[in-house]
Amino acid sequence: MSLFTPELRAALREQFRGNAMDKRPLVKLFHPLSTATWLASELAEDGDALFGLADLGFGCPELGYFSIAEIEALRLPFGLRIERDLNFSTDLSLTDWAAWARKAGSILTAEVLIRRARNTASDLADRFPPPE
């Protein structure tokens, strides 16, 4: 079973061909038994090389290319494999994710901090609406 639907592959390829410098991640992959996480924003023409943010759990997330084939070939304990977060979506760019993740030390911690920052901003807006 592939982690990527044909529609998802097409969207990632389209972003690869696009002119925008800073694209948003369309895919979040994760290791179900560790903190290893990948955010992918583009798929190269070869159909295997993803560009995105990789965090293997060592406290130093980095931008670069990673292979779909290598990720799908990983066999984990208990018959598990790398999974795709089916509920992942974001309006942040890959650069923003990289900045948050580097500051936080991981993509997962960045995700929590981003959610908190947005909830705090939303709570403040609810409590203190702009004057009319």
Side-chain angles (χ1 to χ4, degrees):
M1 178 187 80
S2 178
L3 290 168
F4 299 87
T5 64
E7 296 81 16
L8 187 52
R9 284 178 180 269
L12 288 162
R13 278 197 188 115
E14 186 62 33
Q15 285 204 148
F16 179 76
R17 291 184 200 113
N19 292 329
M21 291 299 293
D22 199 11
K23 298 154 183 163
R24 76 187 161 82
L26 300 179
V27 177
K28 176 184 171 189
L29 303 174
F30 65 95
H31 185 303
L33 300 174
S34 79
T35 60
T37 309
W38 299 262
L39 298 179
S41 62
E42 302 172 54
L43 177 60
E45 292 297 330
D46 68 3
D48 182 58
L50 291 165
F51 182 78
L53 184 63
D55 176 6
L56 299 180
F58 303 118
C60 52
E62 60 183 52
L63 292 169
Y65 284 92
F66 39 94
S67 166
I68 291 175
E70 288 180 13
I71 289 173
E72 287 184 338
L74 290 172
R75 299 298 180 260
L76 308 174
F78 312 112
L80 296 173
R81 296 174 138 180
I82 300 301
E83 298 181 27
R84 178 167 52 100
D85 182 343
L86 300 176
N87 296 311
F88 177 77
S89 69
T90 185
D91 59 348
L92 293 179
S93 69
L94 191 60
T95 301
D96 290 337
W97 272 100
W100 277 93
R102 287 177 180 146
K103 190 178 292 186
S106 77
I107 291 172
L108 295 178
T109 303
E111 205 167 18
V112 171
L113 294 175
I114 290 166
R115 192 175 309 118
R116 281 186 192 160
R118 288 189 168 177
N119 287 342
T120 300
S122 176
D123 290 346
L124 287 174
D126 289 344
R127 287 188 213 160
F128 304 101
E132 294 181 21

